[in-house]
Amino acid sequence: MLKYMSAGESHGKGILAVLEGVPKGLFICENFINNELKRRQAGVGRGERMNIEDDKVEIFSGVYEGFSTGAPIALIVKNKDYRQKQDKEYCAPRAGHADLAGCLKYNQKDFYTISERASARETVSRVLAGSVAKLFLKELDINVMSRIVSVFDESDDIKIEKLIKKTQQDGDTLGGIIMIKAQNMIAGVGSHVHYDRKLDYHISSHLISVQGIKSVEFGIGKEYAGLLGSKAHDSIGINNGKIVRSTNQCGGIEGGISNGEDIVISVSQKPIPTTKIPQNSINLKIGEVCVTEYVRSDACAVHSCAVVCESALSIVLMQEILRTLGGDTMNEVRERAFAKRRVKDEFFGK
């Protein structure tokens, strides 16, 4: 069973990811991890910090001569923009952030320590762990990818870029819709027997926890509500002795179990809450109405968020595949995955 934990703050010493339960013998490619970190930093609309940080992974433990040992894997990215102490007070919470909710939770009037952990800088850890998970999935011929569906209802890539640049100049922010896909997924991962074993339950919780994500939809999602049952579902057939589907409107999961089709998910990311345009707030220290003060932030992070969502999906797929297949070594996992695939591909040959 794979366990994942992150640690670190936005302007702390660094960001840490720990993965326990990685089978022995998985090739951990440092260049691949660094490329994924670079992908996370890229994209139009990113803020000034991307010019400061040059994220590089340091493999702290769990890897020997390039391969996982079976021990917990710890991965670290050090922050260049490390602040030993923050003298300024942060007392005017920004709507849409964890600022006010966190102050109410801990009964404090300065939200600096809350914003430090709630920051999207935490997603570095997701990408660190997600890179390992992607390498694992590739060993099983599963590929995870994403694309930007729309930003502010605009779907053309060139127009999206112009829109983001214009919004950034205006001091405002944007969100968008992102599609994530896992191609060539193994059938039979997850379970129908209890709510907390359902694959879509775990995927949903991982994706909705990504900073800024406000909705998660599988397959055609909310479009189901406008269809008749006779038109909504993916009909089942046989082609050359193999089970086939005419469509994949369910997004590859039925009854909490992967059905062998691609897993397809759409998520919506809200506009970045921190804007250069002042927003109404209150000063928690003196109890008076005020406006927010701008701190360095992105204007739009959908391209970065897409990479993070790939990582989140990869982590949960690795976790649930290992829960289904087990295995102490990658050889064992590969053999069991091959056997699991044969159930669907050779169902009528039994």
Side-chain angles (χ1 to χ4, degrees), residues 126 130 133-134 137 142-146 179-183 185 199-200 202-204 206-207 210 218 253 262-265 306-321:
R126 314 264 190 139
K134 280 187 178 183
L137 295 173
I142 300 170
N143 293 304
V144 175
M145 61 199 65
S146 65
M179 187 274 289
I180 316 105
K181 180 188 290 187
Q183 290 184 318
M185 181 61 187
L199 180 60
D200 40 1
H202 289 286
I203 291 173
S204 298
H206 273 251
L207 287 173
V210 173
F218 291 83
I253 300 175
D262 293 347
I263 292 178
V264 182
I265 307 159
V307 179
V308 176
C309 287
E310 289 176 19
S311 293
L313 178 58
S314 298
I315 293 166
V316 71
L317 290 182
M318 180 180 180
Q319 186 178 58
E320 295 309 303
I321 287 171

Side-chain angles (χ1 to χ4, degrees), residues 155-324:
S155 57
D156 180 80
D157 289 342
I158 295 175
K159 291 180 179 179
I160 285 175
E161 184 172 346
K162 290 181 179 179
L163 174 63
I164 293 172
K165 288 180 178 179
K166 173 66 166 56
T167 304
Q168 191 169 28
Q169 290 172 357
D170 293 342
D172 220 324
T173 63
L174 292 165
I177 298 174
I178 303 160
M179 187 274 289
I180 316 105
K181 180 188 290 187
Q183 290 184 318
N184 200 31
M185 181 61 187
I186 300 169
V189 176
S191 178
H192 65 287
V193 303
H194 206 271
Y195 78 93
D196 62 352
R197 300 184 197 174
K198 291 177 180 282
L199 180 60
D200 40 1
Y201 164 90
H202 289 286
I203 291 173
S204 298
S205 63
H206 273 251
L207 287 173
I208 205 69
S209 72
V210 173
Q211 285 82 341
I213 297 301
K214 298 303 288 184
S215 72
V216 179
E217 298 182 40
F218 291 83
I220 61 172
K222 62 178 177 291
E223 293 180 31
Y224 272 120
L227 295 176
L228 294 169
S230 59
K231 304 295 184 184
H233 304 291
D234 308 311
S235 61
I236 306 169
I238 302 174
N239 184 15
N240 294 325
K242 293 189 176 184
I243 299 171
V244 294
R245 299 291 186 122
S246 59
T247 56
N248 185 27
Q249 297 192 141
C250 71
I253 300 175
E254 292 172 303
I257 308 169
S258 61
N259 63 14
E261 301 298 314
D262 293 347
I263 292 178
V264 182
I265 307 159
S266 295
V267 300
S268 59
Q269 184 190 31
K270 67 183 180 183
I272 305 296
T274 302
T275 63
K276 288 185 179 179
I277 299 173
Q279 299 182 58
N280 291 335
S281 185
I282 55 174
N283 187 304
L284 299 177
K285 279 282 181 76
I286 61 177
E288 294 181 359
V289 173
C290 65
V291 295
T292 56
E293 181 180 346
Y294 177 71
V295 294
R296 184 180 60 201
S297 182
D298 300 328
C300 183
V302 288
H303 298 88
S304 172
C305 187
V307 179
V308 176
C309 287
E310 289 176 19
S311 293
L313 178 58
S314 298
I315 293 166
V316 71
L317 290 182
M318 180 180 180
Q319 186 178 58
E320 295 309 303
I321 287 171
L322 285 173
R323 190 198 300 268
T324 298

